[in-house]
Amino acid sequence: MSGKPSSTPAWLASPRARELAYLVGLAAAGALLPLVVYPTLAMKILYFGLFACAYNLLFGYLGLLAFGHAAFFGLASYVCAHLVTVVGLTPELGILAGTAAAAALGAVIGWLAIKRTGLYFAMITLALAQVVYFYLVQAPWSMGEDGIQTGPRGKLFGVISLADNTSMYVVTLVIFLAGFAIVNRAVNSPFGEVLTAIRDNEPRAVSLGYDTRRFKLLAFTLSAAISGLAGATKAIVLQLANLGDVHFSMSGEVLLAVLIGGIGTALGPIVGAAVLMTMFDALAKTGAWVQAIQGALFVGFVLLLRSGVVGTLSGLFARKTR
Amino acid sequence: MFTIEILGKTYNSAAVFGQLLIGLINGSFYAMLSLGVAVIFGMLRIANFAHGAQYMLGAFVAWALLNLPELFPGSGLPSIGYWPSLILAPVIVGVVGMATERIFIRRVYDLDHAYGFLLTIGLAMMVEGLLHVRFGSAGLPYGTPKEFQGTFNLGFMFLPYYRAWVIVASIIICFGTWLLIERTRLGAYLRAATENPELVQAFGIDVPRMLMLTYALGVALAGLAGVMAAPIYQVSPQMGQNLIIIVFAVVVIGGMGSILGSIVSGFLLGLIEGLTKVVYPPGSTTVIFVFMALILLARPQGLMGRT
């Protein structure tokens, strides 16, 4: 898991300034994105990028390989779609409810999973996510194989119609930037410093007096909540929550996005999400090839490019300017 | 017929025994597969997520051997049946495993455990995806060998000969592997190589080759389970996908790396799953995962794991 780039211009030296620069840059890039790709794909890149950032908080900064994040993304998607469709909540309330549900689930699964580390941790999160998957397969309110079709996107705050893609895109971009800001703030705060300390040497963090279990649980819950924010947004954007959202391959995809972009880098997950979503879109018609190519990407990045695209580039940049 | 009382409710004994028997058959596969995962994890410290794909590969090789004349028309190749496949397919899958270890797995031994897991996920997806492209996702039929056509009448249910054979064979395979690793000189070398590879190497034993053979052994076990599964379940590229997650849970319950633990918990969880189908059918898909969570709360190192 790569460290921070060692050389940055002086004005970017403070974390606060860098966070702000990232936000401004991402807002600008987000404004230009619909000029390059069609709106639905642009929105997919944003919500999946947010999902990957949330996952990176756990995997990149705390060093915990979770393999069940589809549960948080998917549960939030279902809760949001259900409340919007059946109860008639406005989109923003649906998204908030979905996020809250994912946070609650994250607190429970996290409480269990952080009892172990390493591969055990991965398997526990995977197994518990399967419980959520099979629950949603069988629960009467989740509509089984069909999933929940929400119908029209509704009106934000009951006022702004999200039916047209431009307003929907702006809302998605705002959610994405807010989520990214939260993750980035967490990572660059004293809290984030403790997380990386736990990642690098947990016994030492314990000996310094930190209650590492509390930090891990908090990070896990936060990661689950932001994953839920992404999943609930997905339900509004695509007007659909289905079993694909909770399937374990979704947990694999978010992991792959982070691996492609760069584990433990601020922008890597977004780059990885953009690569992956664009690839899925381009290969949508080829069916089974997508799975084989995804597998090849896993193998290739693990063996040849472990710091990911962003990690490798910033490494090169740092060497050049030294 | 009589009735059985479980948790204050009465059930028809035929239903209970029937589900327990099905659970025992599923448990045979859980045990054989988690055994291989435990062997590989115990010796190589690799969480072999590709195990489900390797099990599927075993079934596919058996299917391909049976259909050689149709797959390669005009080549004059014979159709190879179940019994030769029971030896041939695991050997072929084991050799593929050996190559996999050489080309891929070996490169991640010195890295964080996460990378071995990610690498094997990628390998599984590649194999499953490519076979899906070539053969589609519909299940391919594989007939029951003619020696096993027929059923026992157990009174409460009919047990096909073939399924009885699966239960017996898997017990023999599991016990044999346990003996090999815990009670032979080769097994002692293997266990020593895990504890202290440098020292074992200093005694003149080729540790890298032993690791390669261990991986091949674990993978061949998966292939063998795949051949045995072919007549029961449909042969399809996805047949190992959900199974591997259950198998990982079984390994965690047994205590990761504990061979006996994985065997016992494999059969045990098959039975528990069967019983759940009687008592609370909707819970049967998740009972193993819930059980895993409970075990972790009560005994984090697993049923038979050492800390």
Side-chain angles (χ1 to χ4, degrees):
Chain A
M1 331 247 149
S2 71
K4 287 178 186 158
S6 58
S7 95
T8 30
W11 59 274
L12 269 180
S14 95
R16 290 276 185 166
R18 198 164 52 227
E19 276 172 59
L20 201 63
Y22 282 157
L23 268 182
V24 172
L26 283 172
L32 297 175
L33 188 61
L35 303 176
V36 191
V37 296
Y38 68 93
T40 308
L41 176 56
M43 286 187 274
K44 280 186 182 174
I45 291 174
L46 290 181
Y47 72 66
F48 203 78
L50 180 58
F51 185 22
C53 286
Y55 181 76
N56 189 37
L57 172 65
L58 208 57
F59 184 38
Y61 294 97
L62 192 51
L64 287 177
L65 175 67
F67 202 57
H69 264 46
F72 312 123
F73 184 85
L75 180 74
S77 170
Y78 269 96
V79 167
C80 176
H82 177 74
L83 291 178
V84 166
T85 317
V86 178
V87 184
L89 286 191
T90 49
E92 77 285 353
L93 291 178
I95 290 176
L96 280 178
T99 308
L105 181 67
V108 175
I109 291 187
W111 176 73
L112 260 172
I114 60 170
K115 289 182 184 295
R116 305 304 308 263
T117 54
L119 293 170
Y120 266 105
F121 181 85
M123 292 182 194
I124 294 161
T125 48
L126 173 60
L128 295 175
Q130 285 299 96
V131 175
V132 177
Y133 174 78
F134 284 113
Y135 166 70
L136 285 170
V137 168
Q138 293 170 348
W141 64 274
S142 65
M143 315 291 226
E145 295 281 330
D146 297 336
I148 303 175
Q149 311 253 355
T150 66
R153 279 178 189 149
K155 291 185 172 145
L156 192 71
F157 308 117
V159 190
I160 310 158
S161 166
L162 297 178
D164 94 293
N165 270 335
T166 315
S167 52
M168 186 71 243
Y169 182 77
V170 173
V171 171
T172 312
L173 181 59
V174 169
I175 292 173
F176 165 79
L177 291 172
F180 176 82
I182 294 170
V183 172
N184 220 16
R185 189 79 281 275
V187 164
N188 289 310
S189 65
F191 171 74
E193 295 295 325
V194 178
L195 294 190
T196 43
I198 294 173
R199 175 190 73 191
D200 296 336
N201 192 338
E202 186 169 355
R204 191 160 178 193
V206 172
S207 76
L208 288 171
Y210 290 108
D211 183 355
T212 58
R213 286 183 49 89
R214 254 187 61 202
F215 278 90
K216 284 177 170 182
L217 183 56
L218 209 57
F220 195 102
T221 310
L222 182 60
S223 173
I226 306 283
S227 301
L229 178 62
T233 307
K234 181 259 169 189
I236 298 291
V237 168
L238 298 186
Q239 295 150 272
L240 174 72
N242 63 7
L243 290 175
D245 301 344
V246 263
H247 193 256
F248 77 87
S249 57
M250 182 62 92
S251 303
E253 281 161 22
V254 74
L255 217 174
L256 182 57
V258 173
L259 181 66
I260 290 176
I263 303 161
T265 60
L267 299 177
I270 302 162
V271 173
V275 170
L276 214 54
M277 288 298 116
T278 313
M279 187 190 86
F280 287 160
D281 189 66
L283 295 175
K285 288 190 189 70
T286 61
W289 279 108
V290 178
Q291 197 194 2
I293 292 171
Q294 246 181 293
L297 284 173
F298 261 117
V299 174
F301 273 87
V302 166
L303 292 183
L304 306 171
L305 209 60
R306 266 187 297 283
S307 6
V309 175
V310 171
T312 307
L313 285 180
S314 69
L316 285 177
F317 183 72
R319 204 176 313 153
K320 221 168 227 172
T321 51
R322 192 171 294 153
Chain B
M1 279 291 102
F2 53 99
T3 54
I4 293 176
E5 196 177 303
I6 307 169
L7 300 172
K9 279 175 138 183
T10 45
Y11 298 92
N12 184 342
S13 65
V16 175
F17 285 123
Q19 289 297 350
L20 281 178
L21 201 56
I22 292 172
L24 194 59
I25 295 162
N26 287 334
S28 305
F29 287 104
Y30 299 161
M32 277 189 285
L33 289 169
S34 53
L35 172 65
V37 171
V39 167
I40 293 172
F41 185 78
M43 311 294 157
L44 282 70
R45 299 281 136 186
I46 293 282
N48 188 33
F49 201 81
H51 217 71
Q54 285 150 347
Y55 154 86
M56 176 273 292
L57 219 50
F60 248 95
V61 170
W63 175 84
L65 288 172
L66 190 69
N67 295 291
L68 278 179
E70 289 81 21
L71 285 172
F72 303 100
S75 63
L77 289 168
S79 169
I80 297 172
Y82 179 81
W83 293 105
S85 286
L86 215 46
I87 307 289
L88 268 177
V91 169
I92 294 171
V93 177
V95 169
V96 172
M98 228 183 269
T100 309
E101 197 274 348
R102 263 270 135 104
I103 302 168
F104 300 106
I105 312 273
R106 182 165 291 192
R107 294 164 196 267
V108 297
Y109 285 152
D110 295 334
L111 302 175
D112 189 284
H113 287 341
Y115 290 111
F117 187 63
L118 298 183
L119 176 67
T120 52
I121 289 173
L123 292 171
M125 290 177 85
M126 271 170 76
V127 174
E128 286 168 353
L130 289 174
L131 282 172
H132 190 167
V133 170
R134 174 70 181 77
F135 295 101
S137 60
L140 305 163
Y142 190 95
T144 307
K146 63 175 184 303
E147 295 82 355
F148 287 130
Q149 276 163 5
T151 55
F152 293 112
N153 186 353
L154 299 180
F156 56 90
M157 75 174 287
F158 291 98
L159 174 66
Y161 290 156
Y162 185 75
R163 295 182 189 218
W165 152 249
V166 165
I167 296 172
V168 173
S170 80
I171 291 172
I172 295 170
I173 291 164
C174 290
F175 186 66
T177 312
W178 178 80
L179 271 185
L180 176 74
I181 290 184
E182 299 289 340
R183 292 286 182 271
T184 66
R185 180 165 291 250
L186 179 70
Y189 286 154
L190 273 176
R191 283 177 286 128
T194 339
E195 296 281 323
N196 193 338
E198 282 84 15
L199 193 65
V200 175
Q201 186 115 30
F203 284 140
I205 291 162
D206 189 345
V207 172
R209 182 198 278 172
M210 269 181 54
L211 292 180
M212 182 176 76
L213 291 176
T214 308
Y215 189 74
L217 170 72
V219 172
L221 278 170
L224 181 57
V227 183
M228 305 216 329
I232 298 185
Y233 310 107
Q234 299 251 300
V235 180
S236 87
Q238 289 85 22
M239 66 190 282
Q241 241 173 36
N242 286 316
L243 196 56
I244 183 64
I245 303 179
I246 295 178
V247 165
F248 269 30
V250 169
V251 173
V252 170
I253 292 168
M256 253 163 104
S258 160
I259 289 168
L260 200 57
S262 69
I263 298 171
V264 172
S265 54
F267 283 107
L268 180 70
L269 285 156
L271 291 173
I272 289 178
E273 198 183 42
L275 207 57
T276 312
K277 277 183 192 149
V278 182
V279 181
Y280 180 62
S284 64
T285 45
T286 47
V287 65
I288 290 182
F289 305 122
V290 174
F291 192 79
M292 185 201 77
L294 293 177
I295 287 284
L296 281 168
L297 284 175
R299 213 182 135 76
Q301 71 273 35
L303 283 179
M304 300 190 176
R306 281 159 295 189
T307 37

